[in-house]
Amino acid sequence: MNELQDVAEFIRHADPVFRRVVTRWTAGDVATADDVVQETWIKLQQHWSSINRNRVGWCFRIARRELARAAKRDVRRRDGELRSVEASDGAEARQQDEECCRRDELMQMLGRLPARQRAVLTLDLEDRPDGEIARTLRMLPSTVRSTRRDALKSAKRVLEELRAEAVPGKTTQQPEDASSRPGTTPEGGPLTKPRPGPGR
């Protein structure tokens, strides 16, 4: 027999037992075991002429090496999937936080508007037509439009105020307490020296 026939005959006899052992090493992972066995047979064919003895032991050593490589590849794949999931979760969490902040900002802004402007803008945000808003609030459609314009101007100003208040370290300056000035009484009046009385 030539070399290829020798290899094929060896694999035919060794494959059933060899495959069962490798499958047991993988804790029943048949797909991984098949890959490891296939790689082992390929390397066996490549190195057949240089293996002079104990070809079975040589095959098991190659299988263990291939199994370790497969385990490393699996770890890298799982790490990549985990990082992908974590990145996706982080982006989703940030998006939810931003939406929550925008919703809170909108509610605060509406709360600072005059009642009529707040009512028109709230119904407008619900995509109500001007005629329906006018009927609901008992006003003319032209009044709805003018009130909306005023509400949008007020909303822009209020949003700027809210965002300025949210800047860390920015506080409203308090008026100076007159009693804390040097040379003043606790009531804030000037200190005066008592005049010497008669005979002093």
Side-chain angles (χ1 to χ4, degrees):
M1 291 191 297
N2 59 31
E3 183 174 304
L4 289 178
Q5 291 175 332
D6 290 342
V7 174
E9 186 67 16
F10 177 89
I11 292 174
R12 187 174 66 83
H13 287 289
D15 187 84
V17 175
F18 188 77
R19 191 174 296 273
R20 282 198 301 269
V21 173
V22 174
T23 303
R24 190 162 60 246
W25 287 351
T26 62
D29 187 347
V30 177
T32 300
D34 287 344
D35 291 341
V36 169
V37 170
Q38 184 68 21
E39 286 296 324
T40 302
W41 295 151
I42 291 173
K43 286 181 170 54
L44 175 66
Q45 183 175 351
Q46 293 171 346
H47 299 279
W48 178 265
S49 59
S50 62
I51 308 170
N52 298 321
R53 57 183 180 177
N54 196 10
R55 290 190 172 99
V56 174
W58 185 92
C59 290
F60 277 119
R61 286 196 301 273
I62 296 300
R64 285 187 181 278
R65 190 181 305 165
E66 291 299 322
L67 187 58
R69 289 176 180 172
K72 289 179 181 179
R73 288 195 299 268
D74 188 56
V75 168
R76 286 195 296 268
R77 178 182 59 80
R78 291 183 181 180
D79 286 346
E81 292 175 353
L82 180 60
R83 283 193 294 270
S84 177
V85 170
E86 289 175 347
S88 176
D89 290 345
E92 184 177 352
R94 285 192 297 273
Q95 183 178 359
Q96 291 176 352
D97 290 342
E98 290 172 358
E99 290 177 356
C100 184
C101 289
R102 285 195 294 268
R103 188 165 52 250
D104 290 345
E105 189 178 61
L106 177 62
M107 296 304 295
Q108 292 181 49
M109 180 270 292
L110 289 173
R112 295 192 184 186
L113 293 180
R116 195 179 210 189
Q117 293 181 7
R118 180 169 61 249
V120 169
L121 201 56
T122 299
L123 293 174
D124 191 61
L125 289 172
E126 296 176 358
D127 292 330
R128 304 280 188 92
D130 290 351
E132 183 179 346
I133 296 175
R135 289 192 299 272
T136 302
L137 301 179
R138 296 182 181 179
M139 59 175 64
L140 296 174
S142 59
T143 306
V144 170
R145 290 190 288 272
S146 62
T147 304
R148 182 191 295 113
R149 286 195 298 269
D150 294 339
L152 292 174
K153 292 179 182 177
S154 299
K156 181 179 179 181
R157 174 181 52 79
V158 170
L159 283 175
E160 290 175 352
E161 293 174 355
L162 289 171
R163 288 165 183 170
E165 293 172 2
V167 175
K170 187 170 183 178
T171 57
T172 304
Q173 186 175 359
Q174 298 295 330
E176 185 181 2
D177 186 0
S179 63
S180 64
R181 298 174 187 167
T184 58
T185 64
E187 291 78 17
L191 288 175
T192 56
K193 294 182 180 180
R195 296 179 181 179
R200 292 186 183 178

